């Protein structure tokens, strides 16, 4: 089913159903604004299985596309590895009597702003199979 779904580029209707719930975030001063709530969505197991196999197939090509400093979504790396890298850089700078600064960004909605055509071009240039690009 997974191979058929990926290669035919069709996700069966039955696995597209989502159960969503709105849950209030704790300690918010004003519950009249949407940001005071969190949306929780549950997907059917089969759609998560198809998603997992697509991810497994894409990770074969991902090392060519990702920076060596990219820790998220990479097998064998964790957020703790990123913290260790930062600490190592700070420690090295401190030993050399240098200052060290960092800027951490959390770009809200960044995934929604991805340029689809540019992403497809990058994937094609890195030999992703067409069924993963389209």
């Amino acid at each position: 089913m997974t191979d058929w779904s990926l290669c035919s580029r069709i996700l069966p209707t039955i696995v597209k159903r989502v159960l969503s719930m709105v849950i209030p975030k704790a300690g918010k001063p004003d519950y009249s604004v949407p940001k005071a709530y969190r949306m929780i969505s549950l997907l059917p197991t089969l759609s998560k299985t198809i998603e997992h196999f697509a991810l497994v197939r894409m990770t074969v090509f991902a090392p060519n596309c990702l920076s060596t400093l990219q820790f998220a979504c990479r097998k064998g790396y964790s957020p703790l590895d990123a913290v260790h890298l930062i600490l190592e850089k700070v420690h090295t700078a401190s030993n050399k009597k240098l200052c060290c600064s960092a800027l951490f960004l959390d770009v809200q909605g960044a995934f929604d702003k991805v340029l689809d055509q540019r992403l497809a071009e990058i994937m094609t240039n890195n030999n992703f199979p067409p069924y993963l690009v389209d």
Side-chain angles (χ1 to χ4, degrees):
M1 172 86 145
T2 300
D3 284 335
W4 173 84
S5 184
L6 291 173
C7 293
S8 66
R9 298 168 180 91
I10 296 172
L11 190 60
T13 305
I14 190 72
V15 300
K16 293 181 186 179
R17 293 193 177 149
V18 177
L19 173 64
S20 297
M21 297 183 70
V22 179
I23 299 173
K25 294 178 181 176
K28 292 292 178 178
D30 183 6
Y31 286 99
S32 66
V33 295
K35 286 190 174 187
Y37 296 89
R38 175 176 288 116
M39 179 73 76
I40 303 295
S41 299
L42 301 174
L43 295 171
T45 304
L46 186 55
S47 67
K48 297 304 286 179
T49 302
I50 293 170
E51 180 183 301
H52 173 76
F53 279 107
L55 175 64
V56 167
R57 290 176 184 190
M58 291 177 85
T59 55
V60 171
F61 304 95
N64 300 328
C65 302
L66 299 175
S67 163
T68 55
L69 299 177
Q70 170 71 31
F71 290 94
C73 301
R74 291 184 66 194
K75 189 171 186 159
Y77 293 90
S78 71
L80 193 55
D81 293 314
V83 171
H84 282 285
L85 177 65
I86 292 168
L87 290 175
E88 186 267 326
K89 297 287 185 186
V90 169
H91 184 72
T92 299
S94 176
N95 285 343
K96 294 180 180 180
K97 307 289 189 224
L98 298 172
C99 292
C100 188
S101 62
L103 174 64
F104 299 95
L105 300 174
D106 183 9
V107 182
Q108 184 176 356
F111 185 77
D112 300 332
K113 312 260 185 310
V114 170
L115 300 173
D116 297 354
Q117 291 175 335
R118 180 69 180 129
L119 178 60
E121 180 184 324
I122 291 168
M123 291 173 74
T124 301
N125 292 343
N126 284 280
N127 301 317
F128 279 71
Y131 71 89
L132 291 175
V133 177
D134 295 340

